[in-house]
Amino acid sequence: MPRNDSSVGEDLAGALGTLMRVSTMRRADRWFGVPACFMLTMARRIFAGTSPAGAATPTRILFVKLAEQGSTVLASTAIRRAIERVGQQNVYFLVFEENRHILDAMALIPERNVITIPAKSLTAAFAGACRAIRRIRRERIDTAIDLEFFARSSVVLAYLSRARWRVGFHAFASEASYRGDLLTHRLSFNPYLHTSHTFEMLVAALDRSPAQLPALDIQPRIEDQALPRFTPRVDEEQEVRRLLREVAGDRAAAPLILLNANASDLLPLRRWPTARYVELARNLIAKYPEVVIAFTGAPDEVAIARQLVREVGSERSISLAGRTTIRQLLAVYGLAEVLVTNDSGPA
């Protein structure tokens, strides 16, 4: 059924609003983050003195990874290493509120220990960051591990947490973004290591004195890199099957191919052009007359997913974008034959 101009306009407005929020956050991280890192670095050198000597002896560990659910999954080995050191009840995670659901699905960190910051606006993010810092201080967290590669906001939060030991990436020779000098355990980012190994090395760095870093001989325990396994509950699988019947009708039981165009990702190098997804969907429908093609995506990608379905122009093309929780989406993956995705969280 054709949609009226008002509905299309609302979809486009929602998509543009999301893009503006992401771009605004990135600009804020740059324009406010750089001077914040500089001023806090000066304050640290004047008032805080040198880093603690010797290896760290953490009792409560906080991971800071505000965005990117895929990277959060790849941090699972590092999280397990932290749990081995201090116990599950003493491991915390700081994340944007919109991204916490993947942590709940991983079931590694107690739900109470997931500290969130809303990202719907700069004002909400600032207020949420202040609340998060107060909570971290109340919990007496003594170790903060910053999992961000280049962002400034995460290292600022780690410093303001008053954690005695702070681990993260530092731009020693300007090979990365300027993040000030706010860490006690500073490592150099190595783009040739797998992300999961890189995160694991941040935990391993706690065994070294800050004076020994950045050490080149820290090795990840590559023999144990298994990602968390997900098994949907019976009710979740039933709900997903009901959703497929609602959206696909009589074709709900057909072989399912998922396309994740991830259109809201603003990094062009990680994004296959949406026109190619349309071309792929048309080719699959022509070659495999029994399959159903479903576009997936986050709530802020609903408008673009619907547009892609319209461009494919087939009754066997549907959109599931914005219709599932993260756990339900994982259940959909379990029912599908194939997932084609950009370099993003679903992978």
Side-chain angles (χ1 to χ4, degrees):
M1 179 181 297
R3 305 176 66 228
N4 59 43
D5 292 341
S6 174
S7 298
V8 174
E10 290 173 1
D11 284 349
L12 291 176
L16 288 173
T18 298
L19 295 180
M20 288 176 63
R21 286 198 298 272
V22 174
S23 61
T24 299
M25 289 291 182
R26 288 179 176 168
R27 286 197 299 269
D29 185 81
R30 178 181 179 184
W31 296 111
F32 295 105
V34 170
C37 287
F38 176 79
M39 289 186 290
L40 289 174
T41 296
M42 294 299 102
R44 181 192 178 204
R45 291 176 178 174
I46 295 171
F47 301 108
T50 60
S51 299
T57 55
T59 60
R60 294 190 175 187
I61 296 177
L62 170 74
F63 289 95
V64 182
K65 188 75 178 79
L66 299 177
E68 298 189 12
Q69 296 186 52
S71 292
T72 302
V73 174
L74 294 178
S76 58
T77 302
I79 294 172
R80 285 198 290 265
R81 297 289 177 261
I83 291 173
E84 290 174 6
R85 298 182 73 121
V86 299
Q88 188 177 44
Q89 296 301 318
N90 293 315
V91 176
Y92 297 75
F93 208 104
L94 179 61
V95 65
F96 279 142
E97 192 173 274
E98 292 78 2
N99 290 327
R100 75 157 294 160
H101 305 291
I102 194 66
L103 283 165
D104 295 336
M106 289 166 62
L108 286 175
I109 294 178
E111 290 187 14
R112 178 194 175 277
N113 290 9
V114 178
I115 304 170
T116 61
I117 298 175
K120 53 190 175 184
S121 70
L122 285 178
T123 302
F126 179 79
C130 293
R131 290 193 298 269
I133 291 170
R134 288 196 297 268
R135 165 83 188 280
I136 293 167
R137 292 178 178 180
R138 285 199 308 269
E139 297 287 350
R140 299 186 182 279
I141 292 171
D142 54 30
T143 303
I145 299 178
D146 180 10
L147 299 179
E148 298 286 358
F149 298 139
F150 309 117
R152 289 91 174 179
S153 55
S154 57
V155 73
V156 168
L157 290 169
Y159 181 75
L160 294 177
S161 73
R162 293 182 181 169
R164 182 181 184 187
W165 296 285
R166 301 177 300 278
V167 189
F169 299 108
H170 181 75
F172 289 95
S174 299
E175 71 273 20
S177 302
Y178 171 77
R179 306 175 79 219
D181 186 10
L182 303 175
L183 302 167
T184 59
H185 291 65
R186 307 179 305 170
L187 278 74
S188 181
F189 174 67
N190 185 344
Y192 300 104
L193 283 179
H194 191 276
T195 301
S196 61
H197 295 166
T198 300
F199 290 160
E200 187 182 356
M201 288 174 62
L202 292 174
V203 180
L206 292 169
D207 293 325
R208 302 298 181 93
S209 168
Q212 296 177 309
L213 298 173
L216 300 179
D217 60 340
I218 299 177
Q219 296 294 328
R221 286 157 51 182
I222 59 175
E223 75 280 359
D224 179 18
Q225 294 294 331
L227 295 176
R229 305 295 297 178
F230 173 80
T231 302
R233 300 190 304 266
V234 174
D235 63 301
E236 290 171 331
E237 188 166 330
Q238 290 175 343
E239 179 61 23
V240 164
R241 292 187 184 277
R242 184 204 62 77
L243 174 62
L244 289 173
R245 288 194 299 271
E246 176 186 327
V247 179
D250 296 338
R251 299 181 179 85
L256 183 64
I257 296 178
L258 303 178
L259 304 184
N260 175 59
N262 199 37
S264 67
D265 190 333
L266 299 184
L267 297 177
L269 292 177
R270 297 172 59 183
R271 185 177 62 203
W272 204 35
T274 53
R276 296 295 181 88
Y277 278 99
V278 173
E279 181 182 358
L280 174 62
R282 289 172 176 169
N283 289 342
L284 289 171
I285 288 172
K287 186 171 183 178
Y288 303 102
E290 73 280 9
V291 305
V292 167
I293 307 296
F295 287 90
T296 63
D300 52 56
E301 297 170 316
V302 170
I304 300 177
R306 287 174 178 169
Q307 178 61 32
L308 294 178
V309 169
R310 287 193 289 268
E311 291 181 18
V312 173
S314 169
E315 293 183 352
R316 290 192 286 125
S317 173
I318 63 175
S319 171
L320 298 177
R323 301 291 299 271
T324 60
T325 65
I326 191 70
R327 290 183 61 88
Q328 290 169 343
L329 182 61
L330 291 172
V332 171
Y333 292 165
L335 297 177
E337 302 292 331
V338 176
L339 167 66
V340 180
T341 177
N342 290 335
D343 176 16
S344 63

